[in-house]
Amino acid sequence: MAVTEEILVNVTPQETRVAVIEQGVTQEVRMERAAARGLVGNIYLGRVTRVLPGMQSAFIDVGAERAAFLHAADIRGVTHAADTARPIEQLLSEGQSLLVQVVKDPIGTKGARLSTQMSIAGRYLVYLPQESHIGISQRIEDEEERAHLREKLRQLLPPEERGGYIIRTMAESATERELRSDLDYLRRLWSGIRERAAAAAPRALIYQDLGLALRVLRDFVHEETSRILVDSREACRTMIEFGQDFTPGVAERVEHYSGERPLFDLYGVEEEIEKALARRVDLKSGGYLVIDQTEALTTIDVNTGGFVTGRSFDETVFKTNLEAAQVIARQLRLRNIGGIVVIDFIDMDADEHRNAVLSELRKALARDRTHMTVDGFTGLGLIEMTRKRTRESLAQVLCEPCPACGGRARLKTPQTVCYAILRDLQREARQFSAREYRVIAAQPVIDLFLDEESQSLAMLSDAIGKPVSLQAEAAYSQEQYDIVLM
């Protein structure tokens, strides 16, 4: 049976949030805040600030808060294709201007990771201007299909074509016309980038990747996506216009949601986000997971809890582990956990049980868009796996280390609480008529409303047609707030 999928797009002036729903269950959440858009895909004319021969790397100033990082292995096309064989001190010098692209966002104290290998994504193809080969997505496993797609693209390319391509998974169902349209789009894009780079000053942003709402059409939608619900009329119109130009088969699935109930509330996404910030995840059977994220790795511990099947203990353990395998795959996507992951399933004596649980885990992970490697059980009965880390996890986006406990736990940032209050005010205004709405919250939250988010609050007050007053409460924790109807 095919998995039906819906994509929800919640848009406010402050942030855009996207949720992927499969069979009514939230599988993935993406967020992009207007004040802190991700950098991956951006192209800059950077300036070399420091070359480190010992580490074969360099720091590049691209105008960001922290200097970005370029390793010698990621240098290509500076002078010739074999540059990676030469030491970095022969390739770069301080003060030199360099066209670079961000391949990994800044995470924690680390600056962005850069490459001189340009990569421009379309819907069906990724254009590599400095390459000459045609690659195929690893997710397309059938050798005949891979050969067919490669030949299909070759026939569309003119003999004088310069540049390489990677055929994306979605190209499997693309028509010749759709592939040609994607090729034209990518060529126009690269031509514009080169023109802007030639006239730009160092540290200039030359190209910025699409915003999250438009990336939904390019990257998220596939054959099993039945519709894309957007709760902003303006964003919906923009998505349809973009889709008609670049993803015609997708544009018709974009719908404006105009219901009274907030979109994320209707589908239970808000509740799932709250659960995804918790350390403990309950299983339907009565068992539970304990998920601990550290800087080095993430550990997931599976426990039986009060689950008893009435059969043998081995059967109880097996059923708990099978359910846990499915939930773990979903939690990795939902929380966007990257890096090394160590899973401690409950010990199983039977090899057939261990093999079945490992098979179930791999099957559940197969739908994840992010590249992963999964090893079998170690001698200690653990499963080790890696999930590519390209952006911050959900907890890193929404929370900050708690000052009261030295960072062992997490606390929602004042900005996260502000946005939750704005959504709640909108919800209250729809349900109740009041003369005035009073927000009682911790001082950092009130300070943010009086400063950076004052315009957001004024816009909302204007939209609901009622005044909103603020009151700081010293006894409230940073996450605590109340909305009083006056």
Side-chain angles (χ1 to χ4, degrees):
M1 186 177 103
V3 177
T4 58
E5 179 183 277
E6 291 178 284
I7 297 176
L8 315 180
V9 183
N10 166 233
V11 181
T12 66
Q14 302 81 32
E15 65 180 354
T16 298
R17 304 187 299 168
V18 171
V20 177
I21 312 292
E22 289 179 5
Q23 309 287 45
V25 179
T26 306
Q27 298 290 336
E28 191 172 348
V29 174
R30 296 281 186 98
M31 299 183 184
E32 182 176 87
R33 289 178 171 168
R37 276 188 63 176
L39 304 180
V40 171
N42 286 3
I43 296 176
Y44 296 88
L45 187 64
R47 187 172 61 83
V48 180
T49 58
R50 194 175 172 200
V51 179
L52 306 171
M55 294 175 61
Q56 282 300 291
S57 59
F59 287 113
I60 313 291
D61 183 5
V62 295
E65 185 180 338
R66 289 188 295 274
F69 182 82
L70 175 66
H71 192 270
D74 296 317
I75 298 176
R76 189 171 178 82
V78 181
T79 55
H80 58 78
D83 278 344
T84 50
R86 298 168 61 197
I88 196 166
E89 59 270 28
Q90 293 181 19
L91 300 173
L92 303 179
S93 57
E94 290 187 13
Q96 178 183 347
S97 293
L98 193 66
L99 199 63
V100 290
Q101 185 169 37
V102 178
V103 293
K104 188 180 286 188
D105 273 327
I107 297 176
T109 58
K110 297 177 182 176
R113 178 82 180 255
L114 303 176
S115 173
T116 64
Q117 169 68 69
M118 300 297 117
S119 168
I120 314 293
R123 175 159 176 76
Y124 304 108
L125 304 167
V126 176
Y127 182 39
L128 308 171
Q130 297 133 310
E131 292 286 352
S132 57
H133 71 280
I134 295 176
I136 310 273
S137 166
Q138 292 179 345
R139 295 175 71 88
I140 301 175
E141 296 177 352
D142 185 271
E143 286 302 326
E144 286 187 19
E145 179 64 16
R146 291 170 70 88
H148 168 70
L149 285 170
R150 188 178 274 112
E151 186 56 34
K152 189 175 177 180
L153 179 59
R154 278 204 182 104
Q155 290 178 4
L156 292 175
L157 296 174
E160 71 279 4
E161 174 69 27
R162 291 189 178 183
Y165 293 89
I166 295 172
I167 299 174
R168 305 183 73 180
T169 311
M170 284 180 285
E172 280 187 285
S173 56
T175 64
E176 188 175 306
R177 181 182 173 187
E178 286 171 330
L179 282 175
R180 185 176 283 113
S181 174
D182 217 28
L183 279 169
D184 292 342
Y185 164 67
L186 290 168
R187 286 198 196 101
R188 292 199 313 269
L189 204 56
W190 177 241
S191 177
I193 288 168
R194 291 181 66 184
E195 287 176 10
R196 285 192 293 277
R203 303 174 63 196
L205 172 62
I206 306 299
Y207 166 77
Q208 186 171 38
D209 200 11
L210 298 174
L212 180 58
L214 297 183
R215 289 205 309 277
V216 165
L217 302 182
R218 189 188 71 190
D219 300 339
F220 286 53
V221 182
H222 51 79
E223 287 180 356
E224 292 159 6
T225 306
S226 59
R227 61 177 179 170
I228 302 125
L229 285 176
V230 189
D231 64 5
S232 159
R233 194 177 300 278
E234 185 180 343
C236 183
R237 186 174 65 249
T238 302
M239 290 174 72
I240 290 172
E241 288 172 357
F242 176 85
Q244 286 170 342
D245 283 342
F246 299 110
T247 58
V250 173
E252 60 197 28
R253 289 182 245 175
V254 180
E255 300 176 22
H256 177 237
Y257 172 76
S258 56
E260 281 294 309
R261 197 171 173 198
L263 184 58
F264 272 31
D265 282 5
L266 183 67
Y267 281 77
V269 180
E270 298 286 11
E271 185 181 351
E272 288 298 330
I273 291 173
E274 288 300 319
K275 287 181 181 177
L277 298 176
R279 184 169 174 255
R280 173 171 165 152
V281 179
D282 291 321
L283 304 177
K284 289 180 180 177
S285 62
Y288 63 93
L289 311 176
V290 176
I291 302 176
D292 284 311
Q293 287 179 251
T294 68
E295 194 160 335
L297 53 81
T298 297
T299 61
I300 303 176
D301 187 31
V302 184
N303 300 278
T304 55
F307 179 32
V308 179
T309 62
R311 299 182 185 178
S312 68
F313 179 70
D314 285 350
E315 194 68 20
T316 298
V317 167
F318 179 50
K319 287 187 178 295
T320 304
N321 282 340
L322 279 178
E323 184 189 358
Q326 296 177 3
V327 175
I328 286 167
R330 176 172 168 261
Q331 287 295 324
L332 290 175
R333 285 179 70 183
L334 189 56
R335 296 170 185 242
N336 190 35
I337 292 171
I340 300 169
V341 180
V342 177
I343 306 170
D344 186 8
F345 284 104
I346 307 164
D347 289 341
M348 294 170 285
D349 293 328
D351 285 343
E352 60 185 292
H353 285 178
R354 290 156 71 100
N355 293 336
V357 168
L358 181 59
S359 175
E360 186 66 30
L361 177 65
R362 284 184 166 139
K363 181 181 171 185
L365 292 170
R367 292 187 62 81
D368 200 321
R369 274 178 270 264
T370 305
H371 179 68
M372 284 174 292
T373 58
V374 182
D375 295 332
F377 282 91
T378 67
L380 296 175
L382 307 172
I383 284 183
E384 296 173 356
M385 61 170 286
T386 60
R387 186 173 185 271
K388 189 174 180 182
R389 180 186 290 162
T390 56
R391 56 193 172 87
E392 293 185 317
S393 69
L394 191 65
Q396 287 171 320
V397 172
L398 295 181
C399 304
E400 65 183 6
C402 173
C405 68
R408 289 190 303 275
R410 289 184 173 272
L411 201 64
K412 288 182 182 175
T413 65
Q415 197 170 37
T416 297
V417 178
C418 275
Y419 296 165
I421 290 171
L422 291 172
R423 289 194 292 270
D424 278 354
L425 280 167
Q426 201 167 25
R427 191 179 292 117
E428 295 286 335
R430 284 174 176 167
Q431 294 179 355
F432 307 102
S433 179
R435 177 173 51 83
E436 177 189 327
Y437 297 88
R438 176 165 297 171
V439 174
I440 305 173
Q443 190 67 54
V445 177
I446 299 299
D447 289 345
L448 204 59
F449 271 134
L450 293 171
D451 187 12
E452 295 174 31
E453 298 299 336
S454 58
Q455 187 178 355
S456 301
L457 191 63
M459 287 169 61
L460 180 69
S461 176
D462 186 53
I464 65 178
K466 298 291 172 63
V468 179
S469 59
L470 303 171
Q471 180 182 325
E473 177 55 66
Y476 277 28
S477 72
Q478 190 162 289
E479 294 186 355
Q480 190 179 355
Y481 65 87
D482 286 304
I483 297 172
V484 181
L485 280 60
M486 306 294 285

PDB file of all heavy atoms in Angstrom, residues 384-411:
ATOM      1  N   GLU A 384      25.345   0.801  15.995  1.00  0.00           N
ATOM      2  CA  GLU A 384      25.969   2.098  15.720  1.00  0.00           C
ATOM      3  C   GLU A 384      25.568   2.539  14.325  1.00  0.00           C
ATOM      4  O   GLU A 384      25.574   1.737  13.387  1.00  0.00           O
ATOM      5  CB  GLU A 384      27.493   1.987  15.819  1.00  0.00           C
ATOM      6  CG  GLU A 384      27.981   1.635  17.207  1.00  0.00           C
ATOM      7  CD  GLU A 384      29.476   1.369  17.252  1.00  0.00           C
ATOM      8  OE1 GLU A 384      30.101   1.386  16.168  1.00  0.00           O
ATOM      9  OE2 GLU A 384      30.005   1.145  18.341  1.00  0.00           O
ATOM     10  N   MET A 385      25.208   3.806  14.195  1.00  0.00           N
ATOM     11  CA  MET A 385      24.841   4.340  12.892  1.00  0.00           C
ATOM     12  C   MET A 385      25.250   5.807  12.807  1.00  0.00           C
ATOM     13  O   MET A 385      25.563   6.438  13.828  1.00  0.00           O
ATOM     14  CB  MET A 385      23.329   4.199  12.646  1.00  0.00           C
ATOM     15  CG  MET A 385      22.447   4.948  13.637  1.00  0.00           C
ATOM     16  SD  MET A 385      20.713   4.976  13.141  1.00  0.00           S
ATOM     17  CE  MET A 385      20.760   6.174  11.783  1.00  0.00           C
ATOM     18  N   THR A 386      25.298   6.337  11.603  1.00  0.00           N
ATOM     19  CA  THR A 386      25.548   7.766  11.432  1.00  0.00           C
ATOM     20  C   THR A 386      24.440   8.338  10.560  1.00  0.00           C
ATOM     21  O   THR A 386      23.910   7.653   9.673  1.00  0.00           O
ATOM     22  CB  THR A 386      26.901   8.038  10.755  1.00  0.00           C
ATOM     23  OG1 THR A 386      26.916   7.432   9.457  1.00  0.00           O
ATOM     24  CG2 THR A 386      28.044   7.506  11.590  1.00  0.00           C
ATOM     25  N   ARG A 387      24.099   9.580  10.822  1.00  0.00           N
ATOM     26  CA  ARG A 387      23.121  10.317  10.004  1.00  0.00           C
ATOM     27  C   ARG A 387      23.759  11.656   9.674  1.00  0.00           C
ATOM     28  O   ARG A 387      24.202  12.368  10.583  1.00  0.00           O
ATOM     29  CB  ARG A 387      21.809  10.512  10.771  1.00  0.00           C
ATOM     30  CG  ARG A 387      20.684  11.135   9.949  1.00  0.00           C
ATOM     31  CD  ARG A 387      19.387  11.125  10.746  1.00  0.00           C
ATOM     32  NE  ARG A 387      18.254  11.606   9.970  1.00  0.00           N
ATOM     33  CZ  ARG A 387      17.880  12.876   9.883  1.00  0.00           C
ATOM     34  NH1 ARG A 387      18.558  13.814  10.547  1.00  0.00           N
ATOM     35  NH2 ARG A 387      16.856  13.248   9.143  1.00  0.00           N
ATOM     36  N   LYS A 388      23.842  11.972   8.393  1.00  0.00           N
ATOM     37  CA  LYS A 388      24.567  13.162   7.964  1.00  0.00           C
ATOM     38  C   LYS A 388      24.009  14.413   8.645  1.00  0.00           C
ATOM     39  O   LYS A 388      22.806  14.635   8.675  1.00  0.00           O
ATOM     40  CB  LYS A 388      24.483  13.321   6.445  1.00  0.00           C
ATOM     41  CG  LYS A 388      25.406  14.412   5.904  1.00  0.00           C
ATOM     42  CD  LYS A 388      25.389  14.439   4.389  1.00  0.00           C
ATOM     43  CE  LYS A 388      26.314  15.522   3.862  1.00  0.00           C
ATOM     44  NZ  LYS A 388      26.299  15.605   2.405  1.00  0.00           N
ATOM     45  N   ARG A 389      24.920  15.224   9.172  1.00  0.00           N
ATOM     46  CA  ARG A 389      24.521  16.447   9.875  1.00  0.00           C
ATOM     47  C   ARG A 389      24.804  17.648   8.965  1.00  0.00           C
ATOM     48  O   ARG A 389      25.945  17.988   8.707  1.00  0.00           O
ATOM     49  CB  ARG A 389      25.319  16.572  11.176  1.00  0.00           C
ATOM     50  CG  ARG A 389      24.986  17.798  12.001  1.00  0.00           C
ATOM     51  CD  ARG A 389      25.915  17.912  13.186  1.00  0.00           C
ATOM     52  NE  ARG A 389      25.667  16.884  14.174  1.00  0.00           N
ATOM     53  CZ  ARG A 389      26.541  16.557  15.121  1.00  0.00           C
ATOM     54  NH1 ARG A 389      27.720  17.149  15.162  1.00  0.00           N
ATOM     55  NH2 ARG A 389      26.251  15.621  15.999  1.00  0.00           N
ATOM     56  N   THR A 390      23.732  18.280   8.463  1.00  0.00           N
ATOM     57  CA  THR A 390      23.903  19.441   7.585  1.00  0.00           C
ATOM     58  C   THR A 390      23.301  20.707   8.182  1.00  0.00           C
ATOM     59  O   THR A 390      23.540  21.800   7.694  1.00  0.00           O
ATOM     60  CB  THR A 390      23.243  19.197   6.220  1.00  0.00           C
ATOM     61  OG1 THR A 390      21.862  18.870   6.419  1.00  0.00           O
ATOM     62  CG2 THR A 390      23.932  18.059   5.480  1.00  0.00           C
ATOM     63  N   ARG A 391      22.507  20.567   9.236  1.00  0.00           N
ATOM     64  CA  ARG A 391      21.902  21.734   9.896  1.00  0.00           C
ATOM     65  C   ARG A 391      21.645  21.387  11.342  1.00  0.00           C
ATOM     66  O   ARG A 391      21.778  20.234  11.761  1.00  0.00           O
ATOM     67  CB  ARG A 391      20.600  22.152   9.187  1.00  0.00           C
ATOM     68  CG  ARG A 391      19.581  21.043   9.092  1.00  0.00           C
ATOM     69  CD  ARG A 391      18.449  21.370   8.126  1.00  0.00           C
ATOM     70  NE  ARG A 391      17.611  20.193   7.937  1.00  0.00           N
ATOM     71  CZ  ARG A 391      16.587  19.872   8.705  1.00  0.00           C
ATOM     72  NH1 ARG A 391      16.234  20.664   9.711  1.00  0.00           N
ATOM     73  NH2 ARG A 391      15.891  18.788   8.485  1.00  0.00           N
ATOM     74  N   GLU A 392      21.284  22.384  12.122  1.00  0.00           N
ATOM     75  CA  GLU A 392      21.081  22.169  13.554  1.00  0.00           C
ATOM     76  C   GLU A 392      19.851  21.302  13.815  1.00  0.00           C
ATOM     77  O   GLU A 392      18.893  21.304  13.044  1.00  0.00           O
ATOM     78  CB  GLU A 392      20.941  23.511  14.264  1.00  0.00           C
ATOM     79  CG  GLU A 392      22.218  24.341  14.259  1.00  0.00           C
ATOM     80  CD  GLU A 392      22.100  25.613  15.070  1.00  0.00           C
ATOM     81  OE1 GLU A 392      21.048  26.279  14.955  1.00  0.00           O
ATOM     82  OE2 GLU A 392      23.032  25.932  15.820  1.00  0.00           O
ATOM     83  N   SER A 393      19.886  20.564  14.930  1.00  0.00           N
ATOM     84  CA  SER A 393      18.748  19.733  15.301  1.00  0.00           C
ATOM     85  C   SER A 393      17.593  20.618  15.771  1.00  0.00           C
ATOM     86  O   SER A 393      17.763  21.812  16.028  1.00  0.00           O
ATOM     87  CB  SER A 393      19.142  18.765  16.413  1.00  0.00           C
ATOM     88  OG  SER A 393      19.370  19.482  17.619  1.00  0.00           O
ATOM     89  N   LEU A 394      16.423  20.008  15.912  1.00  0.00           N
ATOM     90  CA  LEU A 394      15.239  20.744  16.367  1.00  0.00           C
ATOM     91  C   LEU A 394      15.485  21.380  17.733  1.00  0.00           C
ATOM     92  O   LEU A 394      15.138  22.539  17.970  1.00  0.00           O
ATOM     93  CB  LEU A 394      14.036  19.789  16.430  1.00  0.00           C
ATOM     94  CG  LEU A 394      12.659  20.415  16.640  1.00  0.00           C
ATOM     95  CD1 LEU A 394      12.272  21.275  15.449  1.00  0.00           C
ATOM     96  CD2 LEU A 394      11.608  19.343  16.873  1.00  0.00           C
ATOM     97  N   ALA A 395      16.120  20.628  18.630  1.00  0.00           N
ATOM     98  CA  ALA A 395      16.402  21.154  19.972  1.00  0.00           C
ATOM     99  C   ALA A 395      17.369  22.338  19.912  1.00  0.00           C
ATOM    100  O   ALA A 395      17.226  23.310  20.660  1.00  0.00           O
ATOM    101  CB  ALA A 395      16.979  20.051  20.861  1.00  0.00           C
ATOM    102  N   GLN A 396      18.359  22.279  19.022  1.00  0.00           N
ATOM    103  CA  GLN A 396      19.313  23.386  18.902  1.00  0.00           C
ATOM    104  C   GLN A 396      18.659  24.639  18.330  1.00  0.00           C
ATOM    105  O   GLN A 396      19.034  25.757  18.677  1.00  0.00           O
ATOM    106  CB  GLN A 396      20.491  22.964  18.014  1.00  0.00           C
ATOM    107  CG  GLN A 396      21.432  21.980  18.687  1.00  0.00           C
ATOM    108  CD  GLN A 396      22.460  21.419  17.728  1.00  0.00           C
ATOM    109  OE1 GLN A 396      22.153  21.108  16.574  1.00  0.00           O
ATOM    110  NE2 GLN A 396      23.689  21.269  18.195  1.00  0.00           N
ATOM    111  N   VAL A 397      17.646  24.455  17.457  1.00  0.00           N
ATOM    112  CA  VAL A 397      16.946  25.594  16.880  1.00  0.00           C
ATOM    113  C   VAL A 397      16.017  26.244  17.903  1.00  0.00           C
ATOM    114  O   VAL A 397      15.967  27.466  18.035  1.00  0.00           O
ATOM    115  CB  VAL A 397      16.132  25.161  15.638  1.00  0.00           C
ATOM    116  CG1 VAL A 397      15.234  26.300  15.151  1.00  0.00           C
ATOM    117  CG2 VAL A 397      17.068  24.730  14.519  1.00  0.00           C
ATOM    118  N   LEU A 398      15.273  25.422  18.642  1.00  0.00           N
ATOM    119  CA  LEU A 398      14.219  25.940  19.515  1.00  0.00           C
ATOM    120  C   LEU A 398      14.674  26.239  20.941  1.00  0.00           C
ATOM    121  O   LEU A 398      14.012  26.988  21.646  1.00  0.00           O
ATOM    122  CB  LEU A 398      13.060  24.934  19.580  1.00  0.00           C
ATOM    123  CG  LEU A 398      12.291  24.684  18.285  1.00  0.00           C
ATOM    124  CD1 LEU A 398      11.176  23.691  18.523  1.00  0.00           C
ATOM    125  CD2 LEU A 398      11.740  25.977  17.712  1.00  0.00           C
ATOM    126  N   CYS A 399      15.766  25.654  21.373  1.00  0.00           N
ATOM    127  CA  CYS A 399      16.151  25.747  22.784  1.00  0.00           C
ATOM    128  C   CYS A 399      17.559  26.315  22.947  1.00  0.00           C
ATOM    129  O   CYS A 399      18.308  26.463  21.982  1.00  0.00           O
ATOM    130  CB  CYS A 399      16.079  24.359  23.441  1.00  0.00           C
ATOM    131  SG  CYS A 399      14.471  23.558  23.287  1.00  0.00           S
ATOM    132  N   GLU A 400      17.891  26.598  24.185  1.00  0.00           N
ATOM    133  CA  GLU A 400      19.235  27.042  24.539  1.00  0.00           C
ATOM    134  C   GLU A 400      19.635  26.355  25.837  1.00  0.00           C
ATOM    135  O   GLU A 400      18.769  25.921  26.597  1.00  0.00           O
ATOM    136  CB  GLU A 400      19.276  28.560  24.706  1.00  0.00           C
ATOM    137  CG  GLU A 400      18.451  29.081  25.869  1.00  0.00           C
ATOM    138  CD  GLU A 400      18.457  30.602  25.963  1.00  0.00           C
ATOM    139  OE1 GLU A 400      19.000  31.247  25.054  1.00  0.00           O
ATOM    140  OE2 GLU A 400      17.905  31.125  26.942  1.00  0.00           O
ATOM    141  N   PRO A 401      20.931  26.241  26.115  1.00  0.00           N
ATOM    142  CA  PRO A 401      21.350  25.606  27.370  1.00  0.00           C
ATOM    143  C   PRO A 401      20.782  26.349  28.574  1.00  0.00           C
ATOM    144  O   PRO A 401      20.738  27.574  28.599  1.00  0.00           O
ATOM    145  CB  PRO A 401      22.885  25.701  27.327  1.00  0.00           C
ATOM    146  CG  PRO A 401      23.209  25.837  25.878  1.00  0.00           C
ATOM    147  CD  PRO A 401      22.073  26.606  25.278  1.00  0.00           C
ATOM    148  N   CYS A 402      20.341  25.604  29.569  1.00  0.00           N
ATOM    149  CA  CYS A 402      19.742  26.203  30.767  1.00  0.00           C
ATOM    150  C   CYS A 402      20.839  26.775  31.668  1.00  0.00           C
ATOM    151  O   CYS A 402      21.740  26.050  32.083  1.00  0.00           O
ATOM    152  CB  CYS A 402      18.937  25.148  31.518  1.00  0.00           C
ATOM    153  SG  CYS A 402      18.320  25.721  33.104  1.00  0.00           S
ATOM    154  N   PRO A 403      20.792  28.072  31.977  1.00  0.00           N
ATOM    155  CA  PRO A 403      21.825  28.664  32.834  1.00  0.00           C
ATOM    156  C   PRO A 403      21.778  28.142  34.264  1.00  0.00           C
ATOM    157  O   PRO A 403      22.771  28.182  34.976  1.00  0.00           O
ATOM    158  CB  PRO A 403      21.514  30.168  32.778  1.00  0.00           C
ATOM    159  CG  PRO A 403      20.067  30.244  32.424  1.00  0.00           C
ATOM    160  CD  PRO A 403      19.789  29.070  31.543  1.00  0.00           C
ATOM    161  N   ALA A 404      20.633  27.636  34.673  1.00  0.00           N
ATOM    162  CA  ALA A 404      20.494  27.166  36.055  1.00  0.00           C
ATOM    163  C   ALA A 404      21.206  25.841  36.300  1.00  0.00           C
ATOM    164  O   ALA A 404      21.555  25.524  37.432  1.00  0.00           O
ATOM    165  CB  ALA A 404      19.011  27.024  36.406  1.00  0.00           C
ATOM    166  N   CYS A 405      21.418  25.053  35.230  1.00  0.00           N
ATOM    167  CA  CYS A 405      22.017  23.723  35.433  1.00  0.00           C
ATOM    168  C   CYS A 405      23.315  23.564  34.652  1.00  0.00           C
ATOM    169  O   CYS A 405      23.783  22.437  34.454  1.00  0.00           O
ATOM    170  CB  CYS A 405      21.026  22.628  35.051  1.00  0.00           C
ATOM    171  SG  CYS A 405      20.674  22.584  33.305  1.00  0.00           S
ATOM    172  N   GLY A 406      23.863  24.657  34.158  1.00  0.00           N
ATOM    173  CA  GLY A 406      25.140  24.590  33.455  1.00  0.00           C
ATOM    174  C   GLY A 406      25.065  23.902  32.115  1.00  0.00           C
ATOM    175  O   GLY A 406      26.062  23.382  31.619  1.00  0.00           O
ATOM    176  N   GLY A 407      23.878  23.875  31.517  1.00  0.00           N
ATOM    177  CA  GLY A 407      23.751  23.338  30.164  1.00  0.00           C
ATOM    178  C   GLY A 407      23.441  21.863  30.083  1.00  0.00           C
ATOM    179  O   GLY A 407      23.457  21.288  29.001  1.00  0.00           O
ATOM    180  N   ARG A 408      23.138  21.211  31.220  1.00  0.00           N
ATOM    181  CA  ARG A 408      22.804  19.789  31.136  1.00  0.00           C
ATOM    182  C   ARG A 408      21.415  19.577  30.543  1.00  0.00           C
ATOM    183  O   ARG A 408      21.150  18.572  29.911  1.00  0.00           O
ATOM    184  CB  ARG A 408      22.876  19.156  32.530  1.00  0.00           C
ATOM    185  CG  ARG A 408      24.285  19.031  33.061  1.00  0.00           C
ATOM    186  CD  ARG A 408      24.316  18.190  34.317  1.00  0.00           C
ATOM    187  NE  ARG A 408      23.445  18.711  35.347  1.00  0.00           N
ATOM    188  CZ  ARG A 408      23.775  19.659  36.212  1.00  0.00           C
ATOM    189  NH1 ARG A 408      24.980  20.210  36.144  1.00  0.00           N
ATOM    190  NH2 ARG A 408      22.935  20.066  37.139  1.00  0.00           N
ATOM    191  N   ALA A 409      20.507  20.524  30.756  1.00  0.00           N
ATOM    192  CA  ALA A 409      19.170  20.469  30.167  1.00  0.00           C
ATOM    193  C   ALA A 409      19.014  21.648  29.218  1.00  0.00           C
ATOM    194  O   ALA A 409      19.969  22.360  28.941  1.00  0.00           O
ATOM    195  CB  ALA A 409      18.105  20.513  31.268  1.00  0.00           C
ATOM    196  N   ARG A 410      17.793  21.873  28.718  1.00  0.00           N
ATOM    197  CA  ARG A 410      17.591  22.952  27.753  1.00  0.00           C
ATOM    198  C   ARG A 410      16.375  23.777  28.106  1.00  0.00           C
ATOM    199  O   ARG A 410      15.470  23.311  28.785  1.00  0.00           O
ATOM    200  CB  ARG A 410      17.449  22.381  26.332  1.00  0.00           C
ATOM    201  CG  ARG A 410      18.749  21.850  25.806  1.00  0.00           C
ATOM    202  CD  ARG A 410      18.628  21.387  24.375  1.00  0.00           C
ATOM    203  NE  ARG A 410      19.957  21.032  23.862  1.00  0.00           N
ATOM    204  CZ  ARG A 410      20.780  21.878  23.287  1.00  0.00           C
ATOM    205  NH1 ARG A 410      20.423  23.143  23.133  1.00  0.00           N
ATOM    206  NH2 ARG A 410      21.956  21.499  22.857  1.00  0.00           N
ATOM    207  N   LEU A 411      16.396  25.002  27.612  1.00  0.00           N
ATOM    208  CA  LEU A 411      15.338  25.960  27.886  1.00  0.00           C
ATOM    209  C   LEU A 411      14.957  26.620  26.570  1.00  0.00           C
ATOM    210  O   LEU A 411      15.823  26.944  25.765  1.00  0.00           O
ATOM    211  CB  LEU A 411      15.871  27.024  28.854  1.00  0.00           C
ATOM    212  CG  LEU A 411      14.895  27.856  29.675  1.00  0.00           C
ATOM    213  CD1 LEU A 411      14.106  26.974  30.633  1.00  0.00           C
ATOM    214  CD2 LEU A 411      15.669  28.913  30.466  1.00  0.00           C
TER     215      LEU A 411
END
